[in-house]
Amino acid sequence: MGLISEVLLLPLAPVRGSAWAVRQVLQEAERIYYDPATVQAELARLEEQLEAGEISEEEFDRLEDELLDRLETASRGSAGTGNGTTP
């Protein structure tokens, strides 16, 4: 950008900075949410809850499907982007 546009947009700097910070937090949250290690840990916890009788078989199946979908999404995302993450 040119100097004039930078000067004119200076009052918006806090908004642009806040938007950048929100994008960074969102990216990190998505990285953690789709991290295969996180999903596998949640699957293990879910199985423990089933064995302890804390959840029903139907609830286990539903939650397991959601977690497996997340794992599949993570695998597709990392394979397509080539960002170096392991599925």
Side-chain angles (χ1 to χ4, degrees):
M1 290 189 177
L3 181 60
I4 293 175
S5 61
E6 285 294 325
V7 170
L8 292 174
L9 293 176
L10 191 59
L12 297 177
V15 173
R16 292 189 320 200
S18 296
W20 176 85
V22 168
R23 281 192 307 270
Q24 298 303 311
V25 168
L26 181 61
Q27 287 176 352
E28 182 64 13
E30 286 179 346
R31 186 191 65 76
I32 292 170
Y33 183 75
Y34 289 110
D35 179 37
T38 302
V39 176
Q40 291 170 350
E42 289 183 32
L43 281 168
R45 230 176 298 127
L46 189 62
E47 189 171 346
E48 289 172 2
Q49 289 177 334
L50 177 66
E51 290 172 0
E54 297 173 5
I55 58 173
S56 67
E57 186 75 35
E58 294 80 22
E59 187 175 3
F60 173 81
D61 289 339
R62 182 182 58 79
L63 294 172
E64 181 185 40
D65 287 342
E66 291 175 10
L67 289 170
L68 292 175
D69 287 344
R70 273 176 45 194
L71 195 57
E72 182 180 336
T73 300
S75 296
R76 278 195 318 254
S78 65
T81 59
N83 61 7
T85 59
T86 57

